[in-house]
Amino acid sequence: MSAGTTKSRDFHRLTPVWNIAFHTVAGFFALLCVFPFLFVTILSFTDEATLAKNGYQLIPEKWSVEAYAYLFKAGDQLLRSYGVTIAVTVIGTVIGVVCMALFAYAISRKSFKYRNFFAFMAFFTMLFNGGLVPTYIVVTQLLGLKDSIWALILPLAVNAFYIMILRTFFSTMVPDAIIESGRIDGSGEFGIFFKLVLPLSLPGLATIALFSTLGYWNDWFNALLYINTPDLVPLQSMLMRIENSMQFILQNAQNTSLSVGVLQSMPQDTSRMAMVVLATGPIVLAYPFFQRYFVQGLTVGAVKE
Amino acid sequence: MSKKKRSLTTALLLMLAMSLVLSACGGGKSQSSEGTAEKPVELIWYTIGTPQKDVDKVMAEVSKYTAEKIGVAVKMKMIDWGDYSQKLQVMTASGEPVDIMFTSSWAFDYVQNARKGAFMQVDDLLKEHGQDIIKTLDPAFLEGSKVDGHNYGIPANKELPAQEVWRFNKQYLDKYNLDMNSVTTLESLEPLLKTIKEKEPNIYPFALDKNQMPYVPYDYVIEKLPMAVKLDTQDYKVVNILETPEMIQALKTMHKYYKAGYIPTEAATLDSMTDVQSSGRWFADRATTQPFATNLWSASYGYPVVSTPASQATIYNWSVMGSMQAISANSKYPEKAMEFLNLLNTDPVLRNMVDSGIEGVHYKKVSDNVMENLDESKNYDMPTFSLGNVMLTYLNTTDPANKWEEFKKFNDTGVPAPLLGFNFDTSKVTTEIASVQNVREEYWAALMTGTVDPDTYLARANEKFKAAGLDKIMAEAQRQVDEWRAANK
Amino acid sequence: MGALGRFFKDINRNKAMLIMVLPATLWFIFFSYLPMAGMVIAFKEYRYSRDGFLASIIESKWVGLQNFKFLFSTNDAYIITRNTVVYNIFFIVIGLVLAVAMAIILAELANKRLAKVYQTGMFLPYFLSWVIVGYFVFSFLSLDRGVVNQITGWFGIDPINWYSDPTYWPIIIVVVFLWKSVGYNSVIYLAAIMGIDKSLYEAAMIDGANKWQQIRNITIPMLTPLITILTLLAIGKIFYADFGLFYQVPRDSGTLYSVTNVIDTYVYRGLKSTGEIGMSTAAGLYQSLIGFILVITSNGIVRKFNKDNALF
């Protein structure tokens, strides 16, 4: 949204009444979107007894940092889960984007003889899948990935839908002329791809990377299927486990001085909320950064229309 | 052009086929002659419970011992309570290598999976490599856990009947001077719950989660499906439990309690009460007991718990099959697995190592058969009942010396339920059972926890159960029960 | 021989491209095509064999369409299909209208900095998992602690047991879905609006068109291709429900199944409670088939009207 855009829009400005109305609507909706997160944050800072007595309140009678203090003592599971989720997300996104970009680029090139075959092969998987058990067998027995971090990474690495988006992106955004010029310069196919095509396609790749990142960050189902070791339980899966019982994080606390008494004094409800806040916080803080690339990517994609 | 395309397709197909064949070959290793102290065979053992940190450490010790004795090393994998059934289901379906696995009537259903072929039939193995089990175990266990006349698992030697009790958090009983002996029925709980509700607003008067259901004197044909036979039946008539006066009465009372605020408001969606139990924020609940169970409960919660009987001690199919170890159908070393189970159920050294960990690290011995947990035991806190013969385990310092004699007495007092030994063969009604299960998922928890009004919901549930084919299942069950009775006269 | 020779020559000529598609192709083989062979289970009474999965499949008895019968034996099939499709239609229609409206509002706001702030706020829910959204919803709807019952309590309304009363859930589900997705979709449309050639608006101004006429005659028509493509893709997925939305958010409460049970949750629960793999595979196949037919049909219709807007 450059200065130029602003200026060119000025001359058909809204009337003040409508402007206020629009601001109200947009502002209200934005607030609505952020509110639950703020609310849970408030709850996590509520005193446990107050919470039990008064229910969930926007302005609690008594504030407390007990939940965080407690998690600080007993919550090393949280740190471990963070580590797992971050590792899975980063590795998975990189692998996924590379595989998908290469594939999408190849099938976007008219000079590739088998492009229709491979395009169809990808497209077909959007409609049919083999179901849970056969997939499970391939992952655990054929690939031997049970209880391994790769069981969280590989099944989500490639997505036919993203490949289709990328293919459209490549075929509309990368002019043939550029590829031709690369060829005249004597570059090989890979040279052309990495030196000429990729820099042009960053917004598209960023968009796919974002999709991928979100998919990994929010996945819990693969962990449910393939992971037994508490050391490899990712964030979302951990949040699901503590929904009914905080036992899980206590069980896996390194701090062996915790006794039965500590378990009893645990502020259960507020700790749970604090876990949600701690698990969400970083992505909430990081996402405006993603958002910039994302909007850029989409803007470029939309120009083609 | 098209020809080339075809050859490419052929090549791809070939690749597919090859990888399939490769995957098939992976599992087909034949038996070898290893299995000595120097070269022990490794048994993979899946069992239920929250994974413990020191499992591998303890199993290393266990393996040293078993390698010496029977040429076996053990790799134990624990799967958390809530995930066990589902994970094992997928695992057995996919033919993953397992040697021994926990199975029971309430987690990873024994009868169902025995019929599907998940377990190895062990009639002969028991005779050859498990004679000691046959000698040690109360015969009712092996007899009661037969499926279609064969054994597919080794039940743990433990309490045989199931008896329901009302449990109370003693602290509150004492505080308000309440008498638990006045409680005999669900209805007679009311005055106590009322007191607690009024005086202790922050605790749950009647703690229950979605897995609980009121006790009624019936024997269920299949756990948690609404068909049952009355405990004192003469004619063995299979009835819809939701149409019996006892259940209707109980559900009405539950709903009254729910409305009065005695029951946790979210009971119908709560998976477990462990948080409430660990924090002691409850007053009463119902549980299945065994001799000296209150000692166990008090020790694990960290505050005193007392109980009073809520039912007779009755031997059900599900109580006999409450905890079993089965040998996987795809085990490569079934004989070794049976030898191991034999040792586990008869050798106190092995059994206690599996149960309590390493002596001097996780526990210390006070006398010959009494032990005390050390601090490290929190890294190896195993559910005793799920790991074989409990009567071999060392007593805790708080346990009375005659604990196991009491168990045997308790087992003798148990009255057999009418359907003890009968296993419903569902193969003719699988479709209906699947549909009825879905209806049950929809209504069961809400009804049983009193969350919804039985006056309206019972009729609705029954109507849907009938539409899903409950009558057909009941007719089939009736037929099989009658046949079974005729055969066992 | 000659054919084979030509084949290898072709392979050689396309070597670089073939290498490029190789990683993803392997992925497709392992994670899509090999499991797809498992679909035969839908026609089998699946029993375990000690020789592994393949042997189990081969040795299991063919039962024809028996496994599909359980889907249709009660009105479950009708309810889960209805829920899945009707919810998705609501999601698509309301979601589209709201997202486009919000995009236009954001585009028209004079204060660009504030617009950016709003946009960032609206985008937030898209980043949260359903597990977390489930926690959020619970803090509002909990019977004795939830905000909603506290507020209605001020007006003397009896607390509602949200998690056991299906009456309101169709609305709750739709609202939660929109809450999570409208912001994200409006950003996509906003990006498209930003890409519209400004001179079009200038020309319209000179012709004396007011704001509404500009929106109706320029903005919306320019957005149509994007709307069509996104809607088409959504229709293709009309038989797939967002598992988390229908499982985590209502806390898997049984009494709500009449309005929250969708194909995906049904298959999951079926597998969990009965362990009949054949039946759940059958349900999955049913889902795939209908989805396939829908995409082909709707794409065909779009193609008829405007070839460029079609997917393929």
Side-chain angles (χ1 to χ4, degrees):
Chain A
M1 274 164 239
S2 63
T5 320
T6 320
K7 218 177 267 165
S8 68
R9 294 241 150 196
D10 277 343
F11 64 87
H12 59 221
R13 204 180 222 155
L14 292 165
T15 60
V17 179
W18 278 109
N19 194 28
I20 290 170
F22 276 17
H23 267 287
T24 318
V25 172
F28 181 72
F29 184 64
L31 189 70
L32 215 62
C33 287
V34 182
F35 177 73
F37 181 70
L38 293 177
F39 187 49
V40 167
T41 312
I42 292 172
L43 292 180
S44 70
F45 282 107
T46 306
D47 177 62
E48 178 83 6
T50 314
L51 191 96
K53 194 171 74 180
N54 297 343
Y56 301 142
Q57 283 183 317
L58 197 53
I59 302 158
E61 237 174 77
K62 197 172 156 209
W63 299 84
S64 158
V65 290
E66 211 193 328
Y68 290 92
Y70 194 93
L71 288 181
F72 189 68
K73 268 190 294 183
D76 36 355
Q77 177 67 42
L78 180 74
L79 273 183
R80 236 172 300 152
S81 294
Y82 247 120
V84 173
T85 298
I86 290 172
V88 166
T89 306
V90 171
I91 301 173
T93 304
V94 170
I95 292 181
V97 168
V98 169
C99 289
M100 289 191 281
L102 284 170
F103 191 94
Y105 172 70
I107 61 171
S108 79
R109 290 290 310 278
K110 293 194 179 61
S111 64
F112 181 34
K113 188 165 174 139
Y114 306 109
R115 68 199 189 100
N116 286 329
F117 171 82
F118 283 102
F120 182 77
M121 186 187 81
F123 173 73
F124 192 69
T125 63
M126 287 168 71
L127 302 170
F128 281 96
N129 59 68
L132 186 64
V133 174
T135 313
Y136 179 88
I137 289 153
V138 171
V139 173
T140 56
Q141 294 186 30
L142 200 56
L143 303 173
L145 296 181
K146 187 140 195 226
D147 239 353
S148 134
I149 198 163
W150 294 102
L152 299 174
I153 294 174
L154 292 180
L156 293 177
V158 175
N159 179 313
F161 177 52
Y162 301 164
I163 287 183
M164 293 299 157
I165 295 180
L166 270 179
R167 180 183 69 166
T168 316
F169 194 90
F170 285 134
S171 57
T172 49
M173 286 310 295
V174 183
D176 283 343
I178 288 193
I179 294 163
E180 267 323 302
S181 75
R183 188 160 292 146
I184 289 162
D185 288 351
S187 304
E189 290 288 353
F190 280 92
I192 293 173
F193 177 70
F194 284 108
K195 283 203 214 95
L196 298 173
V197 178
L198 274 194
L200 268 180
S201 322
L202 276 182
L205 294 176
T207 309
I208 298 303
L210 179 86
F211 281 135
S212 243
T213 305
L214 279 178
Y216 280 115
W217 188 270
N218 288 335
D219 171 60
W220 52 271
F221 198 70
N222 283 313
L224 180 80
L225 282 179
Y226 303 121
I227 300 299
N228 285 333
T229 330
D231 286 349
L232 287 176
V233 169
L235 265 188
Q236 303 301 331
S237 170
M238 184 207 62
L239 285 177
M240 253 183 68
R241 281 162 195 251
I242 63 164
E243 198 168 353
N244 271 296
S245 162
M246 293 295 283
Q247 294 289 27
F248 180 70
I249 61 162
L250 293 176
Q251 202 75 49
N252 296 300
Q254 295 289 351
N255 192 343
T256 43
S257 65
L258 291 175
S259 63
V260 181
V262 179
L263 229 149
Q264 280 181 44
S265 67
M266 174 177 208
Q268 287 168 343
D269 285 315
T270 51
S271 299
R272 204 167 276 155
M273 296 302 175
M275 289 289 255
V276 172
V277 172
L278 290 175
T280 335
I283 196 119
V284 168
L285 294 179
Y287 93 92
F289 165 79
F290 277 118
Q291 189 191 1
R292 212 178 59 210
Y293 282 96
F294 184 60
V295 173
Q296 243 176 30
L298 285 166
T299 315
V300 177
V303 170
K304 79 159 220 242
E305 301 301 338
Chain B
M1 168 76 192
S2 76
K3 212 182 241 168
K4 266 156 258 153
K5 215 173 198 173
R6 210 179 304 142
S7 30
L8 187 64
T9 320
T10 321
L12 272 169
L13 276 174
L14 252 166
M15 236 161 95
L16 271 173
M18 256 161 62
S19 45
L20 269 171
V21 169
L22 276 174
S23 70
C25 287
K29 218 188 277 169
S30 64
Q31 261 182 56
S32 57
S33 57
E34 42 194 7
T36 56
E38 293 76 39
K39 213 179 158 209
V41 300
E42 186 179 59
L43 298 179
I44 301 167
W45 182 11
Y46 275 87
T47 187
I48 196 167
T50 312
Q52 299 293 313
K53 222 181 292 172
D54 284 356
V55 166
D56 288 344
K57 203 162 125 193
V58 174
M59 284 309 129
E61 283 296 311
V62 167
S63 298
K64 268 186 221 161
Y65 183 77
T66 49
E68 198 62 40
K69 283 236 156 185
I70 49 174
V72 160
V74 183
K75 184 154 182 63
M76 182 192 270
K77 298 191 179 175
M78 298 187 77
I79 296 178
D80 219 337
W81 303 98
D83 303 338
Y84 189 81
S85 301
Q86 200 188 352
K87 280 204 170 168
L88 266 280
Q89 221 139 46
V90 183
M91 276 172 46
T92 43
S94 66
E96 212 167 299
V98 183
D99 293 295
I100 301 171
M101 56 191 137
F102 174 84
T103 171
S104 69
S105 52
W106 51 273
F108 192 51
D109 190 276
Y110 167 68
V111 177
Q112 195 187 77
N113 286 294
R115 287 223 172 87
K116 276 192 203 155
F119 312 134
M120 189 169 282
Q121 197 245 84
V122 291
D123 291 354
D124 297 330
L125 275 176
L126 251 178
K127 277 183 216 121
E128 286 159 32
H129 302 278
Q131 303 97 331
D132 301 328
I133 295 178
I134 301 175
K135 272 180 239 153
T136 328
L137 223 54
D138 189 324
F141 278 114
L142 283 176
E143 194 51 45
S145 60
K146 277 186 178 163
V147 177
D148 306 328
H150 300 288
N151 284 104
Y152 291 88
I154 310 300
N157 201 19
K158 55 174 195 66
E159 76 282 3
L160 188 57
Q163 183 176 22
E164 297 295 317
V165 290
W166 303 109
R167 296 197 305 177
F168 299 92
N169 191 340
K170 188 154 176 293
Q171 177 194 351
Y172 296 107
L173 271 183
D174 294 350
K175 191 170 172 188
Y176 299 104
N177 205 12
L178 299 168
D179 178 20
M180 73 168 179
N181 293 321
S182 66
V183 180
T184 48
T185 58
L186 183 62
E187 285 72 24
S188 57
L189 257 179
E190 189 165 13
L192 288 78
L193 298 179
K194 195 153 179 273
T195 315
I196 297 297
K197 175 74 190 168
E198 280 161 11
K199 306 226 167 106
E200 292 282 347
N202 284 335
I203 72 164
Y204 294 123
F206 194 19
L208 47 97
D209 58 37
K210 69 175 183 185
N211 304 310
Q212 286 247 356
M213 48 198 266
Y215 171 79
V216 285
Y218 283 84
D219 188 6
Y220 290 84
V221 176
I222 294 180
E223 272 281 272
K224 290 196 167 176
L225 278 195
M227 339 173 255
V229 167
K230 203 161 183 189
L231 279 186
D232 55 9
T233 186
Q234 295 305 319
D235 56 359
Y236 285 77
K237 186 164 166 39
V238 177
V239 292
N240 177 353
I241 193 81
L242 296 178
E243 286 172 347
T244 60
E246 292 93 338
M247 186 53 104
I248 293 172
Q249 169 66 29
L251 294 184
K252 280 188 176 155
T253 312
M254 291 302 281
H255 186 55
K256 191 167 84 183
Y257 288 177
Y258 185 85
K259 276 196 301 191
Y262 302 156
I263 292 169
T265 49
E266 321 290 350
T269 52
L270 275 177
D271 271 329
S272 82
M273 274 277 131
T274 45
D275 273 7
V276 175
Q277 282 156 355
S278 62
S279 63
R281 286 187 289 121
W282 62 285
F283 168 65
D285 73 356
R286 216 196 66 231
T288 312
T289 194
Q290 49 170 246
F292 311 108
T294 47
N295 284 352
L296 271 181
W297 293 325
S298 302
S300 79
Y301 298 161
Y303 52 84
V305 174
V306 291
S307 72
T308 178
S311 78
Q312 297 291 317
T314 310
I315 307 176
Y316 299 96
N317 280 323
W318 62 263
S319 65
V320 173
M321 302 170 189
S323 161
M324 310 178 70
Q325 303 292 341
I327 298 176
S328 170
N330 66 10
S331 170
K332 276 181 253 163
Y333 314 105
E335 290 87 8
K336 285 286 167 198
M338 182 53 87
E339 276 178 46
F340 173 76
L341 286 176
N342 192 45
L343 202 63
L344 180 72
N345 282 292
T346 52
D347 183 315
V349 179
L350 173 61
R351 179 63 181 90
N352 281 292
M353 217 187 310
V354 169
D355 191 57
S356 310
I358 304 162
E359 191 179 347
V361 178
H362 299 103
Y363 73 96
K364 66 167 190 239
K365 267 175 108 171
V366 181
S367 71
D368 210 20
N369 63 342
V370 182
M371 61 139 213
E372 201 173 50
N373 277 329
L374 297 175
D375 278 351
E376 280 294 298
S377 72
K378 83 172 274 295
N379 292 330
Y380 193 74
D381 181 12
M382 305 292 276
T384 301
F385 75 93
S386 68
L387 300 164
N389 194 347
V390 298
M391 301 194 196
L392 294 177
T393 54
Y394 299 141
L395 299 177
N396 269 307
T397 41
T398 49
D399 282 330
N402 64 345
K403 184 171 177 180
W404 303 128
E405 281 82 74
E406 287 299 317
F407 263 72
K408 281 175 190 140
K409 258 188 237 160
F410 183 64
N411 286 353
D412 292 338
T413 58
V415 182
L419 296 182
L420 182 62
F422 167 74
N423 288 303
F424 186 26
D425 178 4
T426 55
S427 57
K428 287 206 181 101
V429 284
T430 29
T431 312
E432 286 77 11
I433 295 232
S435 308
V436 164
Q437 292 267 23
N438 278 314
V439 180
R440 189 194 64 109
E441 294 261 329
E442 187 169 347
Y443 289 98
W444 205 256
L447 275 171
M448 295 300 155
T449 54
T451 310
V452 294
D453 187 356
D455 284 340
T456 47
Y457 275 84
L458 257 183
R460 238 186 268 177
N462 278 327
E463 195 182 309
K464 282 202 83 174
F465 272 125
K466 289 205 167 75
L470 181 63
D471 290 338
K472 190 177 165 195
I473 305 174
M474 275 168 58
E476 173 68 16
Q478 187 71 63
R479 192 185 62 75
Q480 290 186 25
V481 167
D482 293 343
E483 261 174 32
W484 169 75
R485 274 183 72 208
N488 287 283
K489 269 260 163 70
Chain C
M1 187 59 210
L4 202 65
R6 238 178 308 150
F7 174 65
F8 281 115
K9 220 157 93 198
D10 274 337
I11 294 277
N12 198 39
R13 201 175 297 142
N14 290 286
K15 199 169 54 193
M17 292 298 178
L18 282 171
I19 292 170
M20 282 186 184
V21 296
L22 185 68
T25 303
L26 282 177
W27 187 92
F28 280 121
I29 289 172
F30 280 115
F31 290 95
S32 295
Y33 286 94
L34 278 178
M36 240 181 249
M39 281 200 293
V40 290
I41 298 175
F43 306 98
K44 293 244 176 180
E45 183 186 72
Y46 187 69
R47 288 294 173 267
Y48 313 145
S49 155
R50 62 162 300 164
D51 298 322
F53 179 63
L54 220 60
S56 303
I57 292 191
I58 293 162
E59 287 166 23
S60 290
K61 191 165 74 190
W62 288 101
V63 289
L65 295 177
Q66 182 74 28
N67 285 327
F68 291 85
K69 231 177 81 187
F70 104 107
L71 267 174
F72 300 100
S73 61
T74 60
N75 55 2
D76 279 347
Y78 164 71
I79 287 179
I80 58 174
T81 311
R82 178 202 68 188
N83 284 350
T84 316
V85 172
V86 173
Y87 275 122
N88 271 324
I89 290 174
F90 272 96
F91 293 166
I92 293 171
V93 174
I94 305 181
L96 174 70
V97 172
L98 286 185
V100 171
M102 198 53 80
I104 292 174
I105 288 178
L106 285 175
E108 296 299 337
L109 288 178
N111 185 336
K112 292 302 164 197
R113 184 161 298 160
L114 260 180
K116 192 97 193 165
V117 172
Y118 298 152
Q119 195 191 326
T120 307
M122 285 175 200
F123 209 8
L124 173 76
Y126 189 71
F127 282 83
L128 306 177
S129 72
W130 286 116
V131 182
I132 285 168
V133 175
Y135 276 99
F136 287 173
V137 173
F138 183 71
S139 71
F140 283 85
L141 298 185
S142 161
L143 173 61
D144 43 3
R145 295 179 179 177
V147 179
V148 179
N149 279 347
Q150 286 181 41
I151 293 173
T152 53
W154 299 339
F155 300 103
I157 301 168
D158 280 340
I160 295 167
N161 197 345
W162 296 98
Y163 288 97
S164 68
D165 187 348
T167 325
Y168 310 96
W169 275 89
I171 299 166
I172 297 172
I173 294 273
V174 173
V175 168
V176 172
F177 176 84
L178 293 175
W179 175 80
K180 199 170 187 291
S181 64
V182 163
Y184 159 75
N185 283 315
S186 68
V187 170
I188 296 187
Y189 289 116
L190 178 63
I193 293 176
M194 289 300 159
I196 298 173
D197 190 349
K198 302 296 171 299
S199 60
L200 288 174
Y201 291 102
E202 279 157 32
M205 289 290 290
I206 293 161
D207 289 350
N210 66 22
K211 194 83 254 168
W212 302 116
Q213 287 167 329
Q214 286 174 31
I215 290 172
R216 213 177 55 227
N217 297 326
I218 302 171
T219 314
I220 306 246
M222 292 301 280
L223 285 180
T224 310
L226 185 61
I227 292 175
T228 322
I229 289 184
L230 290 182
T231 308
L232 211 51
L233 287 171
I235 290 174
K237 297 225 154 188
I238 209 163
F239 253 63
Y240 293 86
D242 202 327
F243 183 83
L245 173 60
F246 292 94
Y247 190 81
Q248 309 276 4
V249 176
R251 295 170 83 82
D252 192 23
S253 172
T255 31
L256 303 179
Y257 285 178
S258 57
V259 293
T260 60
N261 215 357
V262 288
I263 302 175
D264 299 77
T265 53
Y266 190 79
V267 171
Y268 178 74
R269 286 194 195 102
L271 188 69
K272 208 171 150 186
S273 64
T274 59
E276 287 293 344
I277 292 151
M279 289 182 189
S280 65
T281 312
L285 188 58
Y286 164 69
Q287 193 176 25
S288 291
L289 270 177
I290 307 277
F292 183 73
I293 293 168
L294 277 174
V295 178
I296 301 290
T297 327
S298 51
N299 190 64
I301 294 170
V302 172
R303 232 183 135 83
K304 235 182 192 154
F305 287 106
N306 185 344
K307 219 175 159 188
D308 291 337
N309 285 348
L311 269 178
F312 45 87

